[in-house]
């Protein structure tokens, strides 16, 4: 099962008060596209650590593009136990599942501790952001402010 052009990230301030600039989106796109698809492994739900255990592999992601401040990628559901679970969930309610990255990075510039996570002071994600994997999550757990997830 292949899901074409799924929304991964956007450049608007999300519910976690983070903003990914278009430059960061382009960097993430390059990180995705520079690896073989077999190295871009996604899981069902966010894992505890930063590593992805292959027994949890549910899908791969590839063909990333940035259009109008939105990063999209193709998702291919794998023939694994967890991939089968993602397929089952998508069949129940495909619009309730979204695909989001997990990664590590810092915020741009000095952000005083007392202003972190204030709704009126967005934290700009820095260009050092590294995508480590991706997760299929329920829309209710999503931190992005959009109803557009795929075309």
């Amino acid at each position: 099962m292949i899901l074409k052009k799924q929304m991964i990230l956007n450049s608007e301030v999300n519910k976690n008060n983070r903003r990914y600039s278009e430059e960061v989106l382009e960097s993430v796109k390059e990180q995705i596209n520079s690896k073989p698809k077999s190295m871009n492994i996604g899981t069902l739900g966010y894992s505890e650590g930063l590593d992805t255990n292959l027994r949890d592999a549910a899908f791969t992601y590839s063909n990333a593009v940035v259009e109008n401040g939105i990063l999209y990628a193709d998702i291919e559901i794998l023939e694994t136990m967890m991939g089968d679970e993602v397929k089952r969930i998508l069949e129940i309610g495909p619009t309730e599942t979204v695909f989001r990255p997990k990664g590590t990075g810092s915020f741009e510039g000095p952000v005083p501790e007392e202003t972190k996570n204030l709704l009126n002071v967005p934290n700009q994600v820095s260009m050092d952001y590294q995508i480590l994997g991706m997760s299929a999550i329920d829309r209710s757990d999503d931190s992005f402010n959009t109803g557009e997830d795929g075309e």
Side-chain angles (χ1 to χ4, degrees):
M1 171 186 276
I2 298 176
L3 306 170
K4 294 285 191 182
K5 204 174 178 186
Q6 298 297 298
M7 195 283 266
I8 308 301
L9 284 173
N10 67 32
S11 59
E12 296 182 21
V13 177
N14 68 20
K15 293 176 188 171
N16 290 335
N17 203 34
R18 294 181 185 138
R19 173 178 283 140
Y20 297 81
S21 68
E22 292 227 19
E23 293 81 16
V24 172
L25 298 182
E26 287 288 340
S27 172
V28 174
K29 175 189 88 170
E30 293 304 320
Q31 291 173 53
I32 291 170
N33 292 339
S34 68
K35 290 193 230 171
K37 184 168 62 170
S38 62
M39 297 291 293
N40 291 334
I41 302 292
T43 61
L44 176 59
Y46 290 118
S47 56
E48 292 291 319
L50 296 177
D51 296 328
T52 299
N53 190 318
L54 287 181
R55 76 166 185 254
D56 296 329
F59 60 91
T60 60
Y61 49 97
S62 60
N63 302 322
V65 296
V66 175
E67 295 174 358
N68 301 316
I70 300 173
L71 173 68
Y72 297 96
D74 294 344
I75 304 295
E76 182 173 353
I77 309 300
L78 299 172
E79 296 294 328
T80 63
M81 187 168 70
M82 297 311 289
D84 290 344
E85 183 65 13
V86 170
K87 284 180 199 171
R88 187 187 69 73
I89 292 168
L90 289 171
E91 288 168 0
I92 292 171
T95 61
E96 299 305 314
T97 303
V98 294
F99 298 90
R100 297 295 181 254
K102 60 180 179 179
T104 183
S106 60
F107 295 122
E108 284 186 7
V111 180
E113 195 62 39
E114 63 272 11
T115 64
K116 284 187 177 175
N117 294 319
L118 292 177
L119 293 176
N120 60 348
V121 183
N123 297 306
Q124 296 278 35
V125 175
S126 178
M127 286 294 293
D128 66 357
Y129 180 85
Q130 295 293 306
I131 186 170
L132 301 174
M134 200 168 302
S135 300
I137 62 170
D138 189 271
R139 183 179 300 283
S140 65
D141 296 327
D142 189 18
S143 65
F144 286 88
N145 303 320
T146 183
E148 180 186 337
D149 281 291
E151 293 183 349

